[in-house]
Amino acid sequence: MDIHISEHDVHCIGLATFTEANTEPLQTQLGVIFTIMNRVRSGKFGRDACEVVFSKGQFIGIEDMMKSNEKNIDQETLLKTKLLVVNTLFFKKHKNPVGNSLYFHDDSIDMKYIWDKKPNVKLGRMVFY
């Protein structure tokens, strides 16, 4: 399935990656980007990247950012994150480190009581399923 990615989608993916993993290593940030794209491809989480990212209860970092105000975040780092999204999705400069993962969470959260899924990979502090 070929997916069209708009400038707005880049903004949404960039925001999600920034809020979920901006202090994490590159591979972890790539994991977030590819997990979002896996969700778009699956069709189960929304029709495009922005619907996926802004689905209630899916990306806690986005919800926290919206409560505080996007203007209060480090705009330079956000711009670098959006550039990472462009380099990854348009210019194919990075490979997918998470396979077909549709979920991830910080390793400080015990998700065993919710999911019976086996983790695909752990990158930085994020566990991808």
Side-chain angles (χ1 to χ4, degrees):
M1 174 183 189
D2 191 29
I3 298 173
H4 172 75
I5 300 180
S6 69
E7 184 177 337
H8 188 63
D9 292 326
V10 169
H11 176 73
C12 294
I13 297 167
L15 278 176
T17 304
F18 175 86
T19 60
E20 297 289 339
N22 77 34
T23 61
E24 291 292 316
L26 173 64
Q27 289 299 303
T28 309
Q29 293 178 39
L30 293 171
V32 173
I33 293 168
F34 281 104
T35 298
I36 292 167
M37 295 311 298
N38 289 343
R39 285 180 171 211
V40 173
R41 284 184 190 90
S42 79
K44 297 177 185 177
F45 301 90
R47 295 177 302 231
D48 60 41
C50 292
E51 278 190 20
V52 167
V53 166
F54 287 101
S55 294
K56 186 167 177 58
Q58 296 303 303
F59 291 88
I60 303 306
I62 287 288
E63 292 181 9
D64 291 345
M65 184 263 320
M66 289 176 68
K67 289 176 190 171
S68 65
N69 187 343
E70 181 180 337
K71 292 178 181 158
N72 293 331
I73 64 177
D74 178 354
Q75 294 298 315
E76 183 178 348
T77 303
L78 176 58
L79 183 59
K80 287 178 183 177
T81 305
K82 289 179 187 180
L83 182 59
L84 175 63
V85 173
V86 169
N87 283 333
T88 301
L89 300 179
F90 288 102
F91 298 114
K92 312 292 188 214
K93 289 188 175 183
H94 304 284
K95 295 188 184 295
N96 179 346
V98 296
N100 60 358
S101 294
L102 294 173
Y103 306 95
F104 65 88
H105 66 82
D106 185 287
D107 67 1
S108 68
I109 301 169
D110 181 9
M111 299 300 280
K112 291 176 187 167
Y113 68 96
I114 295 176
W115 293 336
D116 58 356
K117 298 174 181 9
K118 182 178 178 187
N120 289 340
V121 67
K122 182 173 187 272
L123 302 170
R125 293 193 53 123
M126 299 292 187
V127 181
F128 293 84
Y129 298 84

